């Protein structure tokens, strides 16, 4: 991925964070997936009065990509405009385990610190029935 695309992906994650619905935790998150087809799909966290129904930004973005017909993704940027940095939860990591092509996870903090991880680094030995 070139630096222009990386900047676009981070900008899309930041933009999506503006649509987060997080009245309970007050923790807003945006995510953006770069698919193999070159398109970017974004998502934000959406909370609910029935707390357990909340869905993270990462899964909204990944499911949106799939629903739009993008079958493979190569990078996912996550941004939170407030601390702490949005390291993805275990459920999202398990969802990321499918549909990726040697994917990269880019985590951007409120202070614009950027950390990058190969997906395998953050979820080694994942459960995957597609293999
Ligand atoms: N959340 C995300 O959307 N992504 C993360 O990486 C961490 C947590 C959301 C879920 C919930 O709406 C709020 O942040 C607090 O956990």
């Amino acid at each position: 991925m070139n630096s222009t695309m990386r900047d676009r992906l981070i900008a899309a994650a930041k933009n999506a964070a503006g649509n987060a619905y997080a009245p309970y935790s007050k923790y807003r998150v945006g995510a953006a997936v770069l698919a193999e087809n070159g398109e970017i799909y974004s998502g934000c966290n959406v909370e609910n009065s029935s707390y357990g129904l909340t869905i993270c930004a990462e899964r909204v973005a990944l499911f949106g990509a799939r629903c739009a017909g993008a079958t493979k993704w190569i990078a996912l940027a996550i941004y939170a405009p407030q601390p702490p940095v949005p390291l993805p939860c275990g459920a999202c990591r398990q969802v990321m385990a499918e549909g990726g092509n040697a994917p990269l996870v880019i985590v951007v903090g409120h202070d614009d610190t950027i950390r990058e991880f190969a997906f395998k680094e953050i979820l080694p030995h994942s459960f995957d029935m597609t293999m």
Side-chain angles (χ1 to χ4, degrees):
M1 187 181 39
N2 63 34
S3 64
T4 309
M5 191 52 97
R6 188 167 169 276
D7 290 349
R8 279 186 54 204
L9 196 61
I10 291 172
K14 287 185 173 180
N15 191 49
N19 294 324
Y21 178 63
Y24 309 107
S25 72
K26 315 276 190 227
Y27 187 77
R28 288 165 294 140
V29 187
V33 170
L34 173 63
E36 242 177 27
N37 64 9
E39 296 289 330
I40 289 175
Y41 303 90
S42 59
C44 59
N45 56 330
V46 182
E47 299 186 345
N48 189 269
S49 298
S50 179
Y51 293 178
L53 299 182
T54 291
I55 183 166
C56 297
E58 293 92 321
R59 273 175 287 158
V60 172
L62 286 161
F63 292 157
R66 180 78 214 190
C67 189
T71 54
K72 288 279 169 202
W73 63 279
I74 54 181
L76 168 65
I78 312 159
Y79 170 72
Q82 66 287 297
V85 293
L87 286 162
C89 77
C92 288
R93 292 181 198 205
Q94 179 59 35
V95 169
M96 286 177 206
E98 293 184 32
N101 183 7
L104 183 70
V105 177
I106 303 166
V107 177
V108 184
H110 66 286
D111 54 0
D112 269 340
T113 51
I114 299 177
R115 291 168 73 185
E116 293 194 359
F117 304 92
F119 171 69
K120 285 279 170 206
E121 226 185 312
I122 61 167
L123 188 60
H125 314 297
S126 58
F127 179 60
D128 188 350
M129 290 182 72
T130 66
M131 305 184 100

